[in-house]
Amino acid sequence: MASLPFSVSKSHSFLTQLRILDGSCDCSKVEKSIFGKIKDSRSIYSNNNMGLNIMNVATKQQPAVVPLSPEKVAPNDSKLAAWSSVRQERWQGELSVQGEIPLWLSGTYLRNGPGLWHIGDYGFRHLFDGYATLVRLHFENGHLVMGHRQIESEAYKAAKKNKKLCYREFSEVPKPDNFLSYIGDLANLFSGASLTDNANTGVVTLGDGRVVCLTETIKGSIVIDPNTLDTIGKFEYSDSLGGLIHSAHPIVTESEFLTLLPDLINPGYLVVRMEPGTNERKIIGRVGCRGGRAPGWVHSFPVTEHYVVVPEMPLRYCAQNLLKAEPTPLYKFEWHPESKGFMHVMCKASGKIVASVEVPLFVTFHFINAYEEKDENGRVTAVIADCCEHNADTTILEKLRLQNLRSFSGEDVLPDARVGRFRIPLDGSPYGKLDAALEPEEHGKGMDMCSINPAYLGKKYRYAYACGARRPCNFPNTLTKIDLLEKKAKNWCDKGSVPSEPFFVARPGATEEDDGVVISMISDKNGGGYALLLDGSTFKEIARAKFPYGLPYGLHGCWVPKA
């Protein structure tokens, strides 16, 4: 996740932007296959000033592990590798599997996330600051090959070269040498030059097969090779829409790419579409904000078959906070409960807003799915949108500081969360509803990092997979299968460990929604880690494969089917 600035229209002058920021202007106006031997074992250089090492790429024989010096760069009171920087820049090899990987599982799971939280002896503050680490799990004929590599963004390469932070990250700002360099940094902020391209949040497979890593800055869209994890280059949009930020979680299918572009100058959101094989975004429509002088944070959003749902959260972007060298309690945002919360529904075909309703206050990073509710005559009467909702509690952002994650003392400090279900009526009513879709105790009152069977995207569905909680904890520590029909949950837990996002892969030819496997990567309590496969239906373990060493916590992934 990146530093979060506003969209800058070329028609706004530098001075106007300064006035907006200081409050004097109204803001409203991605190996060849290595299941045999790799013929060319290559020595790979990585910068020792980054705490990285020279290692060999191998298949059967795992390379020696040269650990970091955590007492220097990243004090960690626990053995968990989840909150420690990755031990080396890259590695790949075949893993020994306990259990049995289904033979039908053929393809690659890619997971992206922050994995390097220091430069030399300087440690970053927040989970979302880390330089992106891609992890690759390639499944074929019951075998599993793992690899990981750093994404070579300009921000990462500059930090290695200069041994210091050079771009603005989520909570980190380069330290200016003097006042003139501070003014220069402001100018670079407004142009977007100082914003990070550290694509450390998600990874998607476009309809044309290209694999792109993403964060919330548009410049942080980077094309990678899913087989080698090589960084290919920037994903450059060919349109003239401009802007500096977008939703970190676009909706991607074989036929389209949908995303939101927030605008802080004229508060609202552009809803845009991009077709496979192109780099051109086209506007579907625009939603104006109904509350506050800035749009709400839109880390993700849901869609149905015919509609795009645009959430307007009272956790709103705050341009003034961008200027501050030290992070504010809510970083690039401010909580404005008085501005209320809203949900907007836009027709995909026409761009027309068919509903805009006030809803109870909410805080969410991740929407799960949405679908259209119909009456007995087949007429759409409402849109149902589900999310991982934090009970309108913004303290979840502060709980993700690395110091907090590394210093768990046994006290139950994870804020409660639930499956929040919005009901947005399409009959012109001014208000929508927000309730828990099932009792939060079913999943330990923890809920985040969700996935579904992609065949049910935008449709009525029954199952969701997510990270839940077994209390006490300071971070989601279970995997949970949510049954939205029976309103029950099945939970998996390895005590003392931290699992990452459970990713569902459907069995080819399956007719049942939960017929498939769930893939996750686990940081265990002894400092190691492993890949885990659960049966999507029974939610029982079917296989695991130990990593050569523990890996940092990752955020989001995608599935690349075997060509």
Side-chain angles (χ1 to χ4, degrees):
M1 302 204 29
S3 168
L4 304 169
F6 50 85
S7 298
V8 178
S9 168
K10 294 179 181 178
S11 64
H12 289 83
S13 71
F14 178 76
L15 286 177
T16 298
Q17 294 158 14
L18 273 177
R19 291 171 55 222
I20 292 168
L21 286 170
D22 69 13
S24 61
C25 179
D26 189 345
C27 292
S28 57
K29 290 267 176 218
V30 155
E31 151 200 46
K32 42 194 171 178
S33 178
I34 62 174
F35 286 103
K37 295 180 180 179
I38 293 182
K39 295 180 180 179
D40 55 331
S41 180
R42 295 172 291 159
S43 179
I44 299 175
Y45 175 77
S46 55
N47 192 307
N48 287 325
N49 287 299
M50 297 287 286
L52 306 174
N53 311 288
I54 299 174
M55 301 303 299
N56 289 324
V57 176
T59 304
K60 300 294 185 181
Q61 184 175 359
Q62 296 173 350
V65 174
V66 181
L68 294 170
S69 301
E71 68 278 4
K72 288 183 64 179
V73 300
N76 193 342
D77 293 342
S78 73
K79 293 181 179 180
L80 284 170
W83 319 126
S84 296
S85 289
V86 65
R87 292 190 177 189
Q88 55 203 50
E89 189 172 61
R90 59 188 295 188
W91 185 89
Q92 61 183 2
E94 185 170 355
L95 303 180
S96 176
V97 176
Q98 301 175 30
E100 192 169 311
I101 296 174
L103 294 179
W104 60 259
L105 188 62
S106 185
T108 300
Y109 173 59
L110 297 174
R111 189 195 71 179
N112 191 10
L116 187 67
W117 289 292
H118 72 279
I119 304 171
D121 288 344
Y122 179 75
F124 293 166
R125 297 180 179 96
H126 201 278
L127 174 65
F128 297 157
D129 287 323
Y131 293 114
T133 300
L134 267 178
V135 184
R136 176 180 187 265
L137 298 180
H138 183 67
F139 300 87
E140 188 173 349
N141 296 324
H143 293 267
L144 172 56
V145 168
M146 186 274 277
H148 70 77
R149 188 168 181 176
Q150 296 304 110
I151 297 176
E152 295 185 350
S153 62
E154 294 302 318
Y156 173 66
K157 291 188 293 185
K160 285 207 301 182
K161 178 181 178 180
N162 298 293
K163 304 179 182 61
K164 66 178 182 178
L165 185 77
C166 299
Y167 291 85
R168 289 173 173 259
E169 302 296 340
F170 181 79
S171 77
E172 299 287 343
V173 177
K175 301 300 185 283
D177 296 325
N178 50 53
F179 181 73
L180 288 179
S181 65
Y182 172 72
I183 295 300
D185 180 63
L186 289 183
N188 287 335
L189 170 61
F190 299 128
S191 69
S194 69
L195 300 177
T196 190
D197 64 342
N198 176 22
N200 69 355
T201 304
V203 55
V204 297
T205 304
L206 302 184
D208 54 32
R210 289 179 292 178
V211 177
V212 183
C213 295
L214 297 163
T215 188
E216 296 195 351
T217 59
I218 291 175
K219 67 186 289 188
S221 303
I222 298 179
V223 183
I224 56 101
D225 184 321
N227 298 311
T228 65
L229 301 186
D230 287 341
T231 298
I232 296 175
K234 292 290 183 69
F235 186 95
E236 302 282 359
Y237 294 97
S238 61
D239 53 69
S240 58
L241 293 181
L244 299 178
I245 58 174
H246 56 183
S247 173
H249 292 280
I251 301 295
V252 183
T253 68
E254 293 182 355
S255 60
E256 65 184 1
F257 172 106
L258 299 168
T259 195
L260 303 181
L261 307 181
D263 181 2
L264 265 70
I265 302 299
N266 182 18
Y269 314 85
L270 281 182
V271 182
V272 302
R273 173 192 287 117
M274 184 176 69
E275 296 180 356
T278 75
N279 289 39
E280 182 182 5
R281 300 163 300 180
K282 296 181 180 180
I283 297 173
I284 298 175
R286 189 182 190 281
V287 174
C289 287
R290 289 181 55 185
R293 298 194 301 176
W297 184 22
V298 283
H299 184 67
S300 69
F301 65 99
V303 300
T304 70
E305 293 183 89
H306 301 100
Y307 303 108
V308 177
V309 181
V310 181
E312 185 180 340
M313 188 164 56
L315 182 61
R316 299 183 179 275
Y317 296 97
C318 178
Q320 291 92 333
N321 288 353
L322 288 170
L323 292 175
K324 299 178 180 178
E326 294 298 318
T328 65
L330 292 178
Y331 304 94
K332 312 306 178 187
F333 315 106
E334 281 188 344
W335 179 241
H336 288 285
E338 77 286 350
S339 70
K340 303 179 181 179
F342 302 91
M343 297 290 280
H344 313 278
V345 179
M346 178 181 289
C347 175
K348 288 183 184 178
S350 68
K352 179 182 177 181
I353 299 172
V354 300
S356 179
V357 300
E358 182 182 336
V359 294
L361 300 180
F362 65 103
V363 170
T364 184
F365 299 169
H366 301 115
F367 278 86
I368 303 171
N369 198 17
Y371 61 89
E372 297 159 16
E373 185 177 77
K374 299 179 181 180
D375 62 18
E376 62 275 10
N377 298 316
R379 184 174 61 91
V380 179
T381 57
V383 167
I384 305 299
D386 295 339
C387 68
C388 304
E389 204 276 309
H390 298 277
N391 293 305
D393 184 355
T394 63
T395 62
I396 184 62
L397 277 172
E398 185 67 12
K399 299 301 182 183
L400 299 180
R401 286 178 65 104
L402 291 167
Q403 179 180 359
N404 295 330
L405 296 173
R406 292 167 175 162
S407 57
F408 179 52
S409 62
E411 183 181 355
D412 191 17
V413 295
L414 177 69
D416 291 352
R418 59 182 176 167
V419 178
R421 170 161 287 187
F422 292 95
R423 186 180 187 278
I424 308 165
L426 301 186
D427 61 0
S429 299
Y431 300 103
K433 294 181 179 180
L434 172 59
D435 297 295
L438 75 165
E439 287 296 328
E441 288 82 1
E442 285 285 326
H443 47 81
K445 296 183 180 180
M447 178 54 49
D448 214 337
M449 313 303 285
C450 47
S451 76
I452 63 168
N453 184 330
Y456 289 79
L457 176 66
K459 303 175 183 178
K460 192 168 185 178
Y461 71 118
R462 178 174 178 176
Y463 301 111
Y465 302 89
C467 291
R470 179 172 290 181
R471 308 285 178 156
C473 59
N474 67 338
F475 192 83
N477 58 359
T478 70
L479 298 175
T480 183
K481 176 186 178 181
I482 301 296
D483 185 332
L484 292 163
L485 178 62
E486 297 292 336
K487 299 188 182 299
K488 294 292 184 180
K490 294 177 180 180
N491 299 292
W492 176 96
C493 182
D494 182 355
K495 187 176 180 180
S497 299
V498 172
S500 66
E501 175 187 69
F503 190 89
F504 180 85
V505 180
R507 182 181 64 82
T511 57
E512 297 296 325
E513 183 180 344
D514 59 350
D515 186 354
V517 298
V518 174
I519 305 170
S520 182
M521 300 188 205
I522 313 300
S523 178
D524 70 35
K525 61 185 177 182
N526 298 315
Y530 56 93
L532 175 72
L533 267 68
L534 301 177
D535 183 283
S537 177
T538 66
F539 217 54
K540 299 295 185 181
E541 179 176 335
I542 57 176
R544 69 169 63 188
K546 187 177 180 180
F547 297 148
Y549 42 82
L551 294 174
Y553 184 80
L555 297 177
H556 304 288
C558 73
W559 181 251
V560 183
K562 184 180 178 182

